[in-house]
RNA sequence: GCGAGCGUAGCCAAGUGGUUAAGGCGGUGGUUUGUGGUACCAUUAUUCGUGGGUUCGAGCCCCAUCGUUCGCCCCA
Protein backbone atom coordinates (compact mmCIF):
# COMPACT_ATOMS: atom_id res chain seq x y z
CA UNK A 1 0.00 0.00 0.00
CA UNK A 2 1.44 3.34 -1.02
CA UNK A 3 1.63 6.03 1.58
CA UNK A 4 -0.45 9.10 1.05
CA UNK A 5 1.70 12.04 0.11
CA UNK A 6 1.13 15.77 -0.13
CA UNK A 7 -0.53 16.82 -3.36
CA UNK A 8 1.73 17.81 -6.21
CA UNK A 9 2.73 21.43 -5.98
CA UNK A 10 2.02 21.67 -2.25
CA UNK A 11 4.58 21.60 0.50
CA UNK A 12 4.68 21.08 4.22
CA UNK A 13 6.39 23.93 5.95
CA UNK A 14 8.32 22.10 8.62
CA UNK A 15 9.45 23.60 11.95
CA UNK A 16 12.92 24.41 10.64
CA UNK A 17 11.42 26.51 7.84
CA UNK A 18 8.58 27.97 9.83
CA UNK A 19 11.02 30.29 11.60
CA UNK A 20 11.62 32.03 8.29
CA UNK A 21 7.90 32.40 7.71
CA UNK A 22 7.38 33.85 11.15
CA UNK A 23 10.23 36.25 10.64
CA UNK A 24 8.82 37.37 7.31
CA UNK A 25 5.28 37.73 8.63
CA UNK A 26 6.41 39.67 11.66
CA UNK A 27 8.62 42.05 9.69
CA UNK A 28 5.95 42.68 7.09
CA UNK A 29 3.09 43.19 9.51
CA UNK A 30 5.09 45.66 11.59
CA UNK A 31 5.90 47.78 8.57
CA UNK A 32 2.34 47.58 7.27
CA UNK A 33 0.98 48.56 10.65
CA UNK A 34 3.29 51.58 10.82
CA UNK A 35 1.82 52.76 7.54
CA UNK A 36 -1.72 52.42 8.95
CA UNK A 37 -2.68 49.32 6.99
CA UNK A 38 -5.07 46.92 8.66
CA UNK A 39 -5.20 43.21 8.17
CA UNK A 40 -8.17 41.64 6.43
CA UNK A 41 -8.90 37.93 6.11
CA UNK A 42 -11.19 36.83 3.34
CA UNK A 43 -12.32 33.31 2.46
CA UNK A 44 -10.03 31.00 0.58
CA UNK A 45 -12.76 30.14 -1.90
CA UNK A 46 -15.19 32.38 -3.69
CA UNK A 47 -17.81 32.17 -6.37
CA UNK A 48 -16.08 31.53 -9.67
CA UNK A 49 -17.55 34.58 -11.45
CA UNK A 50 -15.70 36.87 -9.03
CA UNK A 51 -12.43 35.85 -10.60
CA UNK A 52 -13.77 35.58 -14.12
CA UNK A 53 -15.04 39.12 -13.97
CA UNK A 54 -12.27 40.51 -11.83
CA UNK A 55 -9.14 39.00 -13.27
CA UNK A 56 -10.47 38.67 -16.81
CA UNK A 57 -11.75 35.67 -18.70
CA UNK A 58 -9.03 35.91 -21.32
CA UNK A 59 -6.16 35.68 -18.85
CA UNK A 60 -4.18 32.49 -18.39
CA UNK A 61 -4.87 32.53 -14.68
CA UNK A 62 -8.60 32.29 -15.26
CA UNK A 63 -8.46 30.32 -18.48
CA UNK A 64 -6.31 27.44 -17.41
CA UNK A 65 -4.97 27.75 -13.89
CA UNK A 66 -7.92 27.90 -11.53
CA UNK A 67 -8.99 25.22 -9.11
CA UNK A 68 -12.67 25.28 -9.88
CA UNK A 69 -15.24 22.77 -8.73
CA UNK A 70 -18.95 22.43 -8.24
CA UNK A 71 -20.09 22.14 -4.65
CA UNK A 72 -22.99 20.07 -3.38
CA UNK A 73 -25.35 22.94 -3.93
CA UNK A 74 -24.37 23.01 -7.57
CA UNK A 75 -22.52 26.30 -7.28
CA UNK A 76 -19.29 26.93 -9.14
CA UNK A 77 -16.58 27.57 -6.57
CA UNK A 78 -12.96 28.55 -7.10
CA UNK A 79 -9.99 28.44 -4.76
CA UNK A 80 -8.63 31.96 -4.90
CA UNK A 81 -5.77 32.32 -7.38
CA UNK A 82 -4.87 35.77 -6.03
CA UNK A 83 -5.93 38.07 -3.25
CA UNK A 84 -7.16 41.30 -4.77
CA UNK A 85 -10.50 40.11 -6.13
CA UNK A 86 -11.60 38.78 -2.75
CA UNK A 87 -10.55 41.92 -0.91
CA UNK A 88 -12.40 44.11 -3.39
CA UNK A 89 -15.47 41.89 -3.12
CA UNK A 90 -15.34 42.28 0.64
CA UNK A 91 -14.81 46.03 0.34
CA UNK A 92 -17.96 46.32 -1.72
CA UNK A 93 -20.04 43.84 0.25
CA UNK A 94 -19.16 45.30 3.65
CA UNK A 95 -19.39 48.87 2.36
CA UNK A 96 -15.96 49.70 3.64
CA UNK A 97 -16.08 52.77 1.42
CA UNK A 98 -18.69 54.15 3.82
CA UNK A 99 -15.86 55.35 6.05
CA UNK A 100 -15.32 58.06 3.47
CA UNK A 101 -11.60 58.27 3.06
CA UNK A 102 -9.16 55.74 1.81
CA UNK A 103 -9.15 52.17 3.00
CA UNK A 104 -5.76 50.59 3.62
CA UNK A 105 -5.82 46.82 3.84
CA UNK A 106 -3.34 44.00 3.86
CA UNK A 107 -3.67 40.24 3.81
CA UNK A 108 -1.57 37.15 3.81
CA UNK A 109 -2.51 33.64 2.94
CA UNK A 110 -2.59 30.73 0.57
CA UNK A 111 -3.42 31.09 -3.12
CA UNK A 112 -3.98 28.32 -5.63
CA UNK A 113 -3.06 27.98 -9.26
CA UNK A 114 -2.89 24.82 -11.28
CA UNK A 115 0.53 25.22 -12.85
CA UNK A 116 3.57 23.10 -13.45
CA UNK A 117 5.58 23.31 -10.22
CA UNK A 118 9.13 24.55 -10.38
CA UNK A 119 11.54 26.46 -8.16
CA UNK A 120 9.64 29.40 -6.68
CA UNK A 121 6.33 28.22 -8.04
CA UNK A 122 3.83 25.89 -6.43
CA UNK A 123 0.18 25.09 -6.82
CA UNK A 124 -0.55 26.20 -3.31
CA UNK A 125 1.57 29.24 -2.61
CA UNK A 126 1.40 32.16 -0.26
CA UNK A 127 1.22 35.87 -0.77
CA UNK A 128 1.33 38.91 1.42
CA UNK A 129 -0.53 41.64 -0.30
CA UNK A 130 -1.78 45.14 0.25
CA UNK A 131 -4.58 47.19 -1.26
CA UNK A 132 -5.07 50.92 -0.99
CA UNK A 133 -8.58 51.78 -2.06
CA UNK A 134 -10.04 55.21 -2.66
CA UNK A 135 -7.14 57.33 -3.79
CA UNK A 136 -6.13 58.19 -7.29
CA UNK A 137 -3.16 60.28 -6.17
CA UNK A 138 0.28 59.41 -7.45
CA UNK A 139 1.29 59.60 -3.81
CA UNK A 140 -0.80 56.50 -3.22
CA UNK A 141 1.13 54.55 -5.86
CA UNK A 142 4.38 55.66 -4.31
CA UNK A 143 3.30 54.97 -0.74
CA UNK A 144 2.50 51.45 -1.72
CA UNK A 145 5.76 50.91 -3.58
CA UNK A 146 7.71 52.40 -0.69
CA UNK A 147 6.15 49.94 1.73
CA UNK A 148 7.16 47.05 -0.49
CA UNK A 149 10.74 48.25 -0.73
CA UNK A 150 10.81 48.89 3.02
CA UNK A 151 9.77 45.34 3.75
CA UNK A 152 12.35 43.90 1.42
CA UNK A 153 15.02 46.15 2.83
CA UNK A 154 14.12 45.29 6.41
CA UNK A 155 14.56 41.65 5.53
CA UNK A 156 18.05 42.45 4.35
CA UNK A 157 17.52 41.49 0.73
CA UNK A 158 19.93 42.68 -1.92
CA UNK A 159 20.21 42.48 -5.66
CA UNK A 160 16.66 43.62 -6.27
CA UNK A 161 15.41 45.90 -8.95
CA UNK A 162 12.18 47.85 -9.18
CA UNK A 163 10.78 47.75 -12.69
CA UNK A 164 8.30 50.46 -13.45
CA UNK A 165 5.87 51.09 -16.26
CA UNK A 166 2.54 52.66 -16.99
CA UNK A 167 0.00 50.73 -18.97
CA UNK A 168 -2.16 53.85 -19.17
CA UNK A 169 -5.91 54.05 -19.14
CA UNK A 170 -8.17 51.70 -21.08
CA UNK A 171 -8.31 54.24 -23.91
CA UNK A 172 -4.56 54.72 -23.96
CA UNK A 173 -4.14 51.00 -24.25
CA UNK A 174 -6.58 50.81 -27.14
CA UNK A 175 -4.61 53.30 -29.21
CA UNK A 176 -1.34 51.76 -28.24
CA UNK A 177 -2.56 48.30 -29.04
CA UNK A 178 -3.45 49.46 -32.54
CA UNK A 179 -0.08 51.12 -32.99
CA UNK A 180 1.64 47.95 -31.86
CA UNK A 181 -0.39 45.83 -34.23
CA UNK A 182 0.44 48.14 -37.08
CA UNK A 183 4.09 47.73 -36.29
CA UNK A 184 4.12 43.97 -35.65
CA UNK A 185 1.82 42.70 -38.35
CA UNK A 186 4.34 43.05 -41.18
CA UNK A 187 6.76 40.89 -39.17
CA UNK A 188 4.17 38.28 -38.41
CA UNK A 189 5.99 35.40 -40.09
CA UNK A 190 9.20 36.13 -38.20
CA UNK A 191 7.61 35.95 -34.77
CA UNK A 192 7.70 32.78 -32.70
CA UNK A 193 4.51 30.79 -32.82
CA UNK A 194 3.33 31.79 -29.34
CA UNK A 195 3.67 35.42 -30.26
CA UNK A 196 1.81 34.91 -33.50
CA UNK A 197 -1.12 33.64 -31.47
CA UNK A 198 -0.87 36.57 -29.13
CA UNK A 199 -1.08 39.00 -32.01
CA UNK A 200 -4.81 38.70 -31.97
CA UNK A 201 -5.32 37.81 -28.31
CA UNK A 202 -2.95 39.99 -26.34
CA UNK A 203 -0.30 41.76 -28.42
CA UNK A 204 1.16 43.60 -25.43
CA UNK A 205 2.50 40.32 -24.15
CA UNK A 206 4.65 39.88 -27.24
CA UNK A 207 6.90 42.57 -25.86
CA UNK A 208 8.27 40.40 -23.10
CA UNK A 209 8.66 37.27 -25.19
CA UNK A 210 11.92 35.43 -24.56
CA UNK A 211 12.31 34.33 -28.13
CA UNK A 212 15.45 35.94 -29.63
CA UNK A 213 14.00 36.89 -32.99
CA UNK A 214 10.84 38.22 -31.44
CA UNK A 215 12.93 40.27 -29.04
CA UNK A 216 14.83 41.83 -31.90
CA UNK A 217 11.62 42.83 -33.56
CA UNK A 218 10.14 44.07 -30.29
CA UNK A 219 13.25 46.15 -29.76
CA UNK A 220 12.03 48.82 -32.17
CA UNK A 221 8.36 48.52 -31.38
CA UNK A 222 6.59 51.68 -30.26
CA UNK A 223 6.68 52.23 -26.50
CA UNK A 224 3.50 52.49 -24.53
CA UNK A 225 4.96 55.45 -22.72
CA UNK A 226 4.65 57.44 -25.96
CA UNK A 227 0.95 56.66 -26.17
CA UNK A 228 -0.17 57.81 -22.76
CA UNK A 229 -2.83 60.49 -22.69
CA UNK A 230 -2.10 63.73 -20.84
CA UNK A 231 -3.63 62.60 -17.56
CA UNK A 232 -1.88 59.25 -17.61
CA UNK A 233 1.39 60.88 -18.57
CA UNK A 234 1.09 63.42 -15.78
CA UNK A 235 0.24 60.75 -13.23
CA UNK A 236 3.16 58.61 -14.26
CA UNK A 237 5.63 61.49 -14.24
CA UNK A 238 4.55 62.32 -10.76
CA UNK A 239 5.05 58.75 -9.60
CA UNK A 240 8.58 58.86 -10.99
CA UNK A 241 9.35 62.17 -9.33
CA UNK A 242 8.03 61.09 -5.97
CA UNK A 243 9.99 57.86 -6.10
CA UNK A 244 13.12 59.90 -6.69
CA UNK A 245 12.20 62.16 -3.79
CA UNK A 246 12.14 59.08 -1.59
CA UNK A 247 15.44 57.91 -3.08
CA UNK A 248 13.84 54.72 -4.30
CA UNK A 249 15.73 53.61 -7.39
CA UNK A 250 13.70 52.26 -10.28
CA UNK A 251 14.13 51.23 -13.87
CA UNK A 252 11.68 52.24 -16.54
CA UNK A 253 10.57 49.14 -18.36
CA UNK A 254 8.06 49.90 -21.10
CA UNK A 255 7.79 46.19 -21.78
CA UNK A 256 6.50 45.35 -18.35
CA UNK A 257 3.02 44.01 -18.87
CA UNK A 258 0.94 42.56 -16.10
CA UNK A 259 -1.04 39.44 -16.75
CA UNK A 260 -4.23 40.33 -14.97
CA UNK A 261 -6.73 42.46 -16.86
CA UNK A 262 -7.54 44.80 -14.03
CA UNK A 263 -4.32 46.79 -14.07
CA UNK A 264 -4.31 50.41 -15.27
CA UNK A 265 -1.66 53.12 -15.18
CA UNK A 266 1.23 52.27 -12.87
CA UNK A 267 2.50 48.73 -13.11
CA UNK A 268 5.58 47.52 -11.29
CA UNK A 269 7.52 44.45 -10.36
CA UNK A 270 10.39 43.93 -8.01
CA UNK A 271 12.64 41.26 -9.38
CA UNK A 272 15.55 39.46 -7.81
CA UNK A 273 18.76 38.51 -9.53
CA UNK A 274 19.17 35.58 -7.15
CA UNK A 275 16.20 33.51 -8.24
CA UNK A 276 15.78 31.42 -11.36
CA UNK A 277 13.22 32.06 -14.04
CA UNK A 278 10.54 32.95 -11.50
CA UNK A 279 12.31 36.10 -10.43
CA UNK A 280 9.40 38.35 -9.55
CA UNK A 281 9.24 38.77 -5.82
CA UNK A 282 6.62 41.49 -5.74
CA UNK A 283 4.21 42.59 -8.41
CA UNK A 284 1.45 45.11 -8.46
CA UNK A 285 0.02 48.28 -9.79
CA UNK A 286 -3.01 50.46 -10.05
CA UNK A 287 -6.42 49.02 -10.81
CA UNK A 288 -8.85 51.89 -11.06
CA UNK A 289 -11.52 49.94 -12.91
CA UNK A 290 -11.83 46.86 -10.77
CA UNK A 291 -14.16 48.04 -8.01
CA UNK A 292 -16.76 49.28 -10.45
CA UNK A 293 -16.32 46.23 -12.61
CA UNK A 294 -17.25 44.10 -9.62
CA UNK A 295 -20.34 46.19 -8.96
CA UNK A 296 -19.06 48.81 -6.55
CA UNK A 297 -18.92 52.52 -7.03
CA UNK A 298 -16.09 53.81 -9.17
CA UNK A 299 -13.08 53.63 -6.82
CA UNK A 300 -9.43 54.09 -7.75
CA UNK A 301 -7.04 51.65 -6.10
CA UNK A 302 -3.46 50.40 -6.02
CA UNK A 303 -1.94 47.29 -4.58
CA UNK A 304 0.70 44.63 -4.78
CA UNK A 305 1.43 41.10 -3.72
CA UNK A 306 4.62 39.51 -2.54
CA UNK A 307 5.32 35.86 -3.26
CA UNK A 308 6.29 34.50 0.12
CA UNK A 309 7.93 31.28 -1.05
CA UNK A 310 10.20 33.24 -3.35
CA UNK A 311 11.14 35.61 -0.59
CA UNK A 312 11.92 32.75 1.71
CA UNK A 313 14.20 31.19 -0.89
CA UNK A 314 16.14 34.43 -0.74
CA UNK A 315 16.06 34.67 3.05
CA UNK A 316 17.49 31.21 3.42
CA UNK A 317 20.49 32.26 1.36
CA UNK A 318 21.11 35.21 3.65
CA UNK A 319 21.42 34.36 7.30
CA UNK A 320 20.49 31.03 8.80
CA UNK A 321 17.84 31.38 11.48
CA UNK A 322 17.91 28.84 14.25
CA UNK A 323 14.88 27.46 15.96
CA UNK A 324 13.87 28.41 19.48
CA UNK A 325 15.54 26.41 22.19
CA UNK A 326 14.10 25.86 25.64
CA UNK A 327 15.54 27.72 28.63
CA UNK A 328 15.27 24.66 30.76
CA UNK A 329 15.48 20.95 30.08
CA UNK A 330 13.83 18.91 32.78
CA UNK A 331 15.21 15.49 33.67
CA UNK A 332 13.32 13.23 36.03
CA UNK A 333 13.29 9.59 37.02
CA UNK A 334 11.00 7.44 39.13
CA UNK A 335 7.24 7.68 39.13
CA UNK A 336 6.84 10.18 41.95
CA UNK A 337 9.54 12.42 40.56
CA UNK A 338 8.19 12.19 37.04
CA UNK A 339 4.74 13.20 38.14
CA UNK A 340 5.98 16.02 40.28
CA UNK A 341 8.27 17.28 37.52
CA UNK A 342 5.19 17.81 35.40
CA UNK A 343 3.80 20.11 38.07
CA UNK A 344 7.01 22.07 38.49
CA UNK A 345 7.42 22.41 34.72
CA UNK A 346 3.92 23.82 34.45
CA UNK A 347 4.66 26.37 37.18
CA UNK A 348 7.89 27.40 35.52
CA UNK A 349 6.10 27.94 32.24
CA UNK A 350 3.58 30.12 34.01
CA UNK A 351 6.53 32.10 35.34
CA UNK A 352 7.66 32.69 31.78
CA UNK A 353 10.29 30.04 31.12
CA UNK A 354 10.46 27.79 28.13
CA UNK A 355 10.62 24.32 29.59
CA UNK A 356 11.11 21.01 27.82
CA UNK A 357 10.17 18.03 29.93
CA UNK A 358 11.86 14.73 29.19
CA UNK A 359 9.08 12.16 28.90
CA UNK A 360 11.22 9.22 27.87
CA UNK A 361 11.46 7.51 31.25
CA UNK A 362 14.91 6.32 30.25
CA UNK A 363 17.93 6.38 32.50
CA UNK A 364 19.65 9.57 33.59
CA UNK A 365 22.50 9.16 31.16
CA UNK A 366 20.24 9.27 28.15
CA UNK A 367 18.19 12.09 29.53
CA UNK A 368 21.34 14.13 30.06
CA UNK A 369 22.43 13.47 26.52
CA UNK A 370 19.13 14.82 25.33
CA UNK A 371 19.39 17.81 27.62
CA UNK A 372 22.64 18.66 25.94
CA UNK A 373 21.17 18.39 22.48
CA UNK A 374 18.12 20.46 23.37
CA UNK A 375 20.20 23.63 23.49
CA UNK A 376 18.85 24.56 26.93
CA UNK A 377 21.01 26.57 29.31
CA UNK A 378 19.75 24.91 32.43
CA UNK A 379 19.02 21.33 33.27
CA UNK A 380 16.78 20.52 36.20
CA UNK A 381 17.12 17.11 37.82
CA UNK A 382 14.46 15.52 39.94
CA UNK A 383 14.88 11.96 41.23
CA UNK A 384 13.63 9.87 44.10
CA UNK A 385 15.92 11.40 46.69
CA UNK A 386 15.20 14.99 45.70
CA UNK A 387 11.47 14.41 45.94
CA UNK A 388 11.83 12.98 49.41
CA UNK A 389 13.92 15.92 50.61
CA UNK A 390 11.92 18.64 48.84
CA UNK A 391 15.00 19.53 46.84
CA UNK A 392 15.87 19.84 43.16
CA UNK A 393 19.17 19.94 41.32
CA UNK A 394 19.94 22.84 39.05
CA UNK A 395 22.68 22.27 36.55
CA UNK A 396 24.17 24.94 34.36
CA UNK A 397 24.82 23.16 31.11
CA UNK A 398 27.24 25.80 29.90
CA UNK A 399 29.77 25.42 32.73
CA UNK A 400 28.63 22.15 34.32
CA UNK A 401 28.10 23.79 37.72
CA UNK A 402 25.45 21.99 39.64
CA UNK A 403 23.81 22.63 42.97
CA UNK A 404 21.03 21.14 44.97
CA UNK A 405 18.49 23.70 46.07
CA UNK A 406 15.25 23.71 47.93
CA UNK A 407 12.26 23.62 45.64
CA UNK A 408 10.93 26.87 47.16
CA UNK A 409 14.11 28.65 46.10
CA UNK A 410 14.00 27.35 42.53
CA UNK A 411 12.56 30.46 40.91
CA UNK A 412 15.05 32.68 42.69
CA UNK A 413 17.99 30.60 41.54
CA UNK A 414 16.70 30.48 38.00
CA UNK A 415 16.34 34.25 37.72
CA UNK A 416 19.98 34.51 38.75
CA UNK A 417 21.11 31.98 36.18
CA UNK A 418 18.99 32.96 33.21
CA UNK A 419 19.56 36.38 31.59
C1' G B 1 -0.13 22.12 -21.52
C1' C B 2 5.10 21.44 -24.09
C1' G B 3 10.67 20.26 -23.92
C1' A B 4 15.04 18.38 -21.09
C1' G B 5 17.59 16.23 -16.69
C1' C B 6 17.12 13.45 -12.23
C1' G B 7 14.81 9.64 -8.38
C1' U B 8 19.78 4.36 -3.97
C1' A B 9 18.31 4.70 4.27
C1' G B 10 15.99 10.48 8.12
C1' C B 11 20.10 13.47 5.29
C1' C B 12 24.58 13.48 1.87
C1' A B 13 25.93 9.90 -1.39
C1' A B 14 29.35 5.31 -4.10
C1' G B 15 27.71 1.82 -7.42
C1' U B 16 26.61 1.97 -15.33
C1' G B 17 24.35 -6.25 -16.32
C1' G B 18 27.04 -11.07 -12.55
C1' U B 19 27.66 -14.13 -5.78
C1' U B 20 26.21 -10.87 0.69
C1' A B 21 23.91 -3.01 -2.07
C1' A B 22 30.55 1.25 -0.34
C1' G B 23 31.26 5.32 2.86
C1' G B 24 29.96 9.77 5.77
C1' C B 25 26.40 12.52 8.91
C1' G B 26 22.44 11.48 12.01
C1' G B 27 19.66 7.84 15.09
C1' U B 28 19.51 3.73 18.56
C1' G B 29 21.94 0.40 22.20
C1' G B 30 26.37 -0.31 25.04
C1' U B 31 31.39 0.83 27.53
C1' U B 32 29.25 4.74 31.78
C1' U B 33 22.07 0.77 35.45
C1' G B 34 22.01 9.25 39.21
C1' U B 35 24.85 12.96 35.23
C1' G B 36 25.79 15.69 28.94
C1' G B 37 29.18 17.57 25.04
C1' U B 38 34.85 13.58 23.55
C1' A B 39 36.37 8.55 22.49
C1' C B 40 35.53 3.39 21.38
C1' C B 41 32.24 -0.87 20.08
C1' A B 42 27.71 -2.61 18.02
C1' U B 43 23.45 -1.63 15.26
C1' U B 44 20.73 1.15 11.54
C1' A B 45 18.08 -0.50 2.98
C1' U B 46 15.85 -8.64 2.23
C1' U B 47 16.40 -3.61 -1.42
C1' C B 48 17.52 0.92 -5.16
C1' G B 49 10.14 6.10 -6.40
C1' U B 50 6.15 2.60 -8.40
C1' G B 51 4.38 -1.02 -12.09
C1' G B 52 5.51 -3.85 -16.24
C1' G B 53 9.17 -5.78 -19.86
C1' U B 54 14.16 -7.56 -21.93
C1' U B 55 17.85 -11.14 -19.91
C1' C B 56 20.21 -17.35 -17.39
C1' G B 57 20.87 -12.83 -14.30
C1' A B 58 18.84 -5.55 -13.45
C1' G B 59 19.83 -0.37 -8.81
C1' C B 60 22.24 -0.41 -13.69
C1' C B 61 18.92 -1.68 -20.31
C1' C B 62 13.56 -0.68 -22.40
C1' C B 63 8.36 1.08 -21.64
C1' A B 64 4.74 3.26 -18.63
C1' U B 65 3.53 5.94 -14.32
C1' C B 66 4.36 9.11 -10.11
C1' G B 67 7.46 12.67 -7.98
C1' U B 68 11.25 16.34 -8.42
C1' U B 69 14.50 19.98 -10.84
C1' C B 70 15.45 23.32 -14.99
C1' G B 71 13.51 25.82 -19.27
C1' C B 72 8.93 27.44 -22.20
C1' C B 73 4.10 29.35 -21.12
C1' C B 74 2.36 32.24 -17.09
C1' C B 75 2.78 34.76 -12.54
C1' A B 76 3.93 36.44 -6.85
Amino acid sequence: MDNIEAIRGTKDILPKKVIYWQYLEKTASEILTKAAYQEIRTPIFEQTPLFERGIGEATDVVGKEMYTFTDRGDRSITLRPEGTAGVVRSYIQNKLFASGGVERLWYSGAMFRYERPQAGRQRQFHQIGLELLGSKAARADVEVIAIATDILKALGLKNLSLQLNSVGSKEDRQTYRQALLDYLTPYKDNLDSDSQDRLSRNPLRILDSKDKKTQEIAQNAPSILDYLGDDSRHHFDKVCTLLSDLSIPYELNPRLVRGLDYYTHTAFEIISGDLGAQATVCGGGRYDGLVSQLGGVETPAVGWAIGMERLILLLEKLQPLSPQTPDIYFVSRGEKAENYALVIAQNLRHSGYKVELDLSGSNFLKQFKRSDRSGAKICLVLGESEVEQGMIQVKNLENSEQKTVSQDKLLEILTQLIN
Side-chain angles (χ1 to χ4, degrees), chain A residues 262-413:
Chain A
Y262 53 63
Y263 286 108
T264 54
H265 300 286
T266 314
F268 68 92
E269 280 185 16
I270 298 174
I271 58 176
S272 163
D274 300 326
L275 289 169
Q278 310 303 326
T280 303
V281 151
C282 174
R286 182 161 275 285
Y287 52 94
D288 289 344
L290 182 60
V291 180
S292 56
Q293 182 148 350
L294 291 176
V297 291
E298 190 85 32
T299 305
V302 235
W304 51 247
I306 283 175
M308 297 176 77
E309 276 82 0
R310 291 180 190 175
L311 223 48
I312 279 165
L313 288 174
L314 296 173
L315 285 179
E316 285 171 337
K317 289 183 189 170
L318 286 179
Q319 77 279 46
L321 298 176
S322 36
Q324 291 249 325
T325 52
D327 301 316
I328 296 163
Y329 192 91
F330 206 142
V331 163
S332 60
R333 188 143 166 76
E335 200 185 335
K336 266 191 190 162
E338 285 169 2
N339 292 343
Y340 195 43
L342 186 65
V343 176
I344 297 177
Q346 177 82 337
N347 289 338
L348 290 173
R349 287 172 190 143
H350 291 166
S351 302
Y353 294 105
K354 286 177 272 178
V355 183
E356 180 172 347
L357 185 60
D358 192 306
L359 295 173
S360 67
S362 50
N363 63 42
F364 279 106
L365 179 72
K366 280 173 216 154
Q367 295 199 48
F368 276 106
K369 283 188 176 173
R370 284 193 204 98
S371 80
D372 184 53
R373 247 178 275 136
S374 75
K377 293 183 205 89
I378 300 295
C379 179
L380 291 180
V381 188
L382 196 70
E384 303 281 354
S385 46
E386 286 85 359
V387 173
E388 275 166 31
Q389 296 158 25
M391 306 297 273
I392 186 163
Q393 298 203 39
V394 181
K395 179 167 187 173
N396 184 336
L397 288 167
E398 278 156 7
N399 59 17
S400 298
E401 275 173 25
Q402 182 169 349
K403 46 191 161 188
T404 308
V405 303
S406 148
Q407 287 167 12
D408 323 326
K409 295 270 169 63
L410 180 57
L411 269 177
E412 236 174 83
I413 304 287

Side-chain angles (χ1 to χ4, degrees), chain A residues 19-37:
Chain A
I19 339 160
Y20 290 92
W21 287 80
Q22 291 170 340
Y23 172 57
L24 168 56
E25 286 158 3
K26 184 164 175 265
T27 307
S29 78
E30 278 172 10
I31 290 171
L32 287 159
T33 303
K34 277 185 194 158
Y37 284 72

Side-chain angles (χ1 to χ4, degrees), chain A residues 46-181:
Chain A
E46 297 271 2
Q47 295 181 25
T48 304
L50 172 66
F51 302 114
E52 290 172 343
R53 274 203 267 156
I55 300 171
E57 308 225 30
T59 61
D60 280 27
V61 169
V62 171
K64 53 184 205 193
E65 294 174 2
M66 294 206 302
Y67 276 91
T68 297
F69 59 96
T70 305
D71 75 3
R72 288 165 192 266
D74 220 25
R75 290 169 281 250
S76 179
I77 304 290
T78 295
L79 266 34
R80 63 182 182 197
E82 54 94 58
T84 302
V87 170
V88 169
R89 192 225 81 233
S90 174
Y91 174 82
I92 296 166
Q93 181 179 342
N94 296 294
K95 302 186 170 39
L96 299 182
F97 48 81
S99 61
V102 300
E103 194 68 18
R104 291 179 164 95
L105 301 167
W106 71 273
Y107 59 86
S108 110
M111 309 292 161
F112 305 84
R113 290 183 201 172
Y114 192 89
E115 296 183 276
R116 188 83 174 253
Q118 69 186 66
R121 190 170 73 189
Q122 295 165 206
R123 290 183 176 177
Q124 177 181 337
F125 62 103
H126 299 79
Q127 292 185 333
I128 284 185
L130 141 184
E131 316 292 351
L132 197 177
L133 297 128
S135 172
K136 61 183 196 323
R139 280 179 296 151
D141 305 39
V142 174
E143 169 177 305
V144 146
I145 293 173
I147 292 169
T149 57
D150 272 356
I151 291 173
L152 300 173
K153 199 189 284 174
L155 292 168
L157 298 176
K158 301 263 154 61
N159 201 5
L160 298 172
S161 120
L162 170 62
Q163 305 278 307
L164 191 67
N165 192 22
S166 172
V167 294
S169 65
K170 274 224 164 79
E171 298 74 47
D172 298 338
R173 242 175 310 159
Q174 273 313 323
T175 36
Y176 174 63
R177 187 189 153 106
Q178 194 51 54
L180 192 59
L181 279 174

